[in-house]
PDB file of all heavy atoms in Angstrom:
ATOM      1  N   MET P 269      -4.966 -10.389  -1.207  1.00 87.00           N
ATOM      2  CA  MET P 269      -4.339 -11.704  -1.252  1.00 87.00           C
ATOM      3  C   MET P 269      -5.289 -12.737  -0.636  1.00 87.00           C
ATOM      4  O   MET P 269      -5.996 -12.450   0.325  1.00 87.00           O
ATOM      5  CB  MET P 269      -3.024 -11.700  -0.479  1.00 87.00           C
ATOM      6  CG  MET P 269      -2.028 -10.666  -1.000  1.00 87.00           C
ATOM      7  SD  MET P 269      -1.539 -10.930  -2.700  1.00 87.00           S
ATOM      8  CE  MET P 269      -0.320 -12.177  -2.502  1.00 87.00           C
ATOM      9  N   VAL P 270      -5.293 -13.923  -1.222  1.00 87.00           N
ATOM     10  CA  VAL P 270      -6.130 -15.021  -0.761  1.00 87.00           C
ATOM     11  C   VAL P 270      -5.210 -16.163  -0.367  1.00 87.00           C
ATOM     12  O   VAL P 270      -4.292 -16.525  -1.108  1.00 87.00           O
ATOM     13  CB  VAL P 270      -7.099 -15.477  -1.882  1.00 87.00           C
ATOM     14  CG1 VAL P 270      -7.926 -16.649  -1.423  1.00 87.00           C
ATOM     15  CG2 VAL P 270      -7.959 -14.328  -2.329  1.00 87.00           C
ATOM     16  N   ARG P 271      -5.434 -16.716   0.805  1.00 91.00           N
ATOM     17  CA  ARG P 271      -4.630 -17.857   1.261  1.00 91.00           C
ATOM     18  C   ARG P 271      -5.245 -19.137   0.724  1.00 91.00           C
ATOM     19  O   ARG P 271      -6.441 -19.375   0.856  1.00 91.00           O
ATOM     20  CB  ARG P 271      -4.571 -17.907   2.773  1.00 91.00           C
ATOM     21  CG  ARG P 271      -3.760 -16.792   3.359  1.00 91.00           C
ATOM     22  CD  ARG P 271      -3.668 -16.923   4.842  1.00 91.00           C
ATOM     23  NE  ARG P 271      -2.893 -15.825   5.389  1.00 91.00           N
ATOM     24  CZ  ARG P 271      -2.824 -15.526   6.652  1.00 91.00           C
ATOM     25  NH1 ARG P 271      -3.507 -16.243   7.524  1.00 91.00           N
ATOM     26  NH2 ARG P 271      -2.095 -14.534   7.059  1.00 91.00           N
ATOM     27  N   MET P 272      -4.385 -19.966   0.135  1.00 88.00           N
ATOM     28  CA  MET P 272      -4.854 -21.230  -0.434  1.00 88.00           C
ATOM     29  C   MET P 272      -3.889 -22.335  -0.049  1.00 88.00           C
ATOM     30  O   MET P 272      -2.721 -22.082   0.251  1.00 88.00           O
ATOM     31  CB  MET P 272      -4.969 -21.118  -1.952  1.00 88.00           C
ATOM     32  CG  MET P 272      -5.910 -20.034  -2.410  1.00 88.00           C
ATOM     33  SD  MET P 272      -6.141 -20.031  -4.167  1.00 88.00           S
ATOM     34  CE  MET P 272      -7.362 -21.301  -4.315  1.00 88.00           C
ATOM     35  N   LEU P 273      -4.385 -23.539  -0.096  1.00 88.00           N
ATOM     36  CA  LEU P 273      -3.572 -24.704   0.216  1.00 88.00           C
ATOM     37  C   LEU P 273      -3.082 -25.332  -1.074  1.00 88.00           C
ATOM     38  O   LEU P 273      -3.869 -25.640  -1.965  1.00 88.00           O
ATOM     39  CB  LEU P 273      -4.408 -25.720   1.008  1.00 88.00           C
ATOM     40  CG  LEU P 273      -3.674 -26.878   1.650  1.00 88.00           C
ATOM     41  CD1 LEU P 273      -2.691 -26.376   2.682  1.00 88.00           C
ATOM     42  CD2 LEU P 273      -4.657 -27.833   2.283  1.00 88.00           C
ATOM     43  N   LEU P 279       0.831 -23.695   2.702  1.00 92.00           N
ATOM     44  CA  LEU P 279      -0.089 -22.574   2.591  1.00 92.00           C
ATOM     45  C   LEU P 279       0.579 -21.484   1.770  1.00 92.00           C
ATOM     46  O   LEU P 279       1.686 -21.057   2.059  1.00 92.00           O
ATOM     47  CB  LEU P 279      -0.434 -22.046   3.984  1.00 92.00           C
ATOM     48  CG  LEU P 279      -1.541 -21.024   4.077  1.00 92.00           C
ATOM     49  CD1 LEU P 279      -2.863 -21.659   3.670  1.00 92.00           C
ATOM     50  CD2 LEU P 279      -1.643 -20.487   5.485  1.00 92.00           C
ATOM     51  N   VAL P 280      -0.097 -21.035   0.706  1.00 92.00           N
ATOM     52  CA  VAL P 280       0.446 -19.997  -0.174  1.00 92.00           C
ATOM     53  C   VAL P 280      -0.556 -18.860  -0.275  1.00 92.00           C
ATOM     54  O   VAL P 280      -1.754 -19.056  -0.092  1.00 92.00           O
ATOM     55  CB  VAL P 280       0.773 -20.554  -1.583  1.00 92.00           C
ATOM     56  CG1 VAL P 280       1.895 -21.558  -1.525  1.00 92.00           C
ATOM     57  CG2 VAL P 280      -0.446 -21.159  -2.225  1.00 92.00           C
ATOM     58  N   GLU P 281      -0.052 -17.654  -0.548  1.00 91.00           N
ATOM     59  CA  GLU P 281      -0.911 -16.498  -0.765  1.00 91.00           C
ATOM     60  C   GLU P 281      -0.898 -16.150  -2.239  1.00 91.00           C
ATOM     61  O   GLU P 281       0.150 -16.017  -2.850  1.00 91.00           O
ATOM     62  CB  GLU P 281      -0.437 -15.300   0.062  1.00 91.00           C
ATOM     63  CG  GLU P 281      -0.698 -15.459   1.527  1.00 91.00           C
ATOM     64  CD  GLU P 281      -0.412 -14.196   2.306  1.00 91.00           C
ATOM     65  OE1 GLU P 281       0.066 -13.214   1.695  1.00 91.00           O
ATOM     66  OE2 GLU P 281      -0.665 -14.183   3.505  1.00 91.00           O
ATOM     67  N   VAL P 282      -2.095 -16.009  -2.824  1.00 89.00           N
ATOM     68  CA  VAL P 282      -2.253 -15.747  -4.247  1.00 89.00           C
ATOM     69  C   VAL P 282      -3.043 -14.455  -4.406  1.00 89.00           C
ATOM     70  O   VAL P 282      -3.983 -14.195  -3.649  1.00 89.00           O
ATOM     71  CB  VAL P 282      -2.985 -16.925  -4.933  1.00 89.00           C
ATOM     72  CG1 VAL P 282      -3.140 -16.682  -6.412  1.00 89.00           C
ATOM     73  CG2 VAL P 282      -2.265 -18.225  -4.670  1.00 89.00           C
ATOM     74  N   LEU P 287      -7.079 -15.244  -9.868  1.00 80.00           N
ATOM     75  CA  LEU P 287      -7.969 -16.401  -9.786  1.00 80.00           C
ATOM     76  C   LEU P 287      -9.091 -16.252 -10.809  1.00 80.00           C
ATOM     77  O   LEU P 287      -9.771 -15.245 -10.864  1.00 80.00           O
ATOM     78  CB  LEU P 287      -8.560 -16.526  -8.380  1.00 80.00           C
ATOM     79  CG  LEU P 287      -7.539 -16.713  -7.264  1.00 80.00           C
ATOM     80  CD1 LEU P 287      -8.239 -16.717  -5.931  1.00 80.00           C
ATOM     81  CD2 LEU P 287      -6.767 -17.992  -7.459  1.00 80.00           C
TER      82      LEU P 287
END
Side-chain angles (χ1 to χ4, degrees):
M269 302 299 279
V270 178
R271 290 183 181 168
M272 301 185 82
L273 191 62
L279 189 66
V280 294
E281 288 188 356
V282 181
L287 300 176

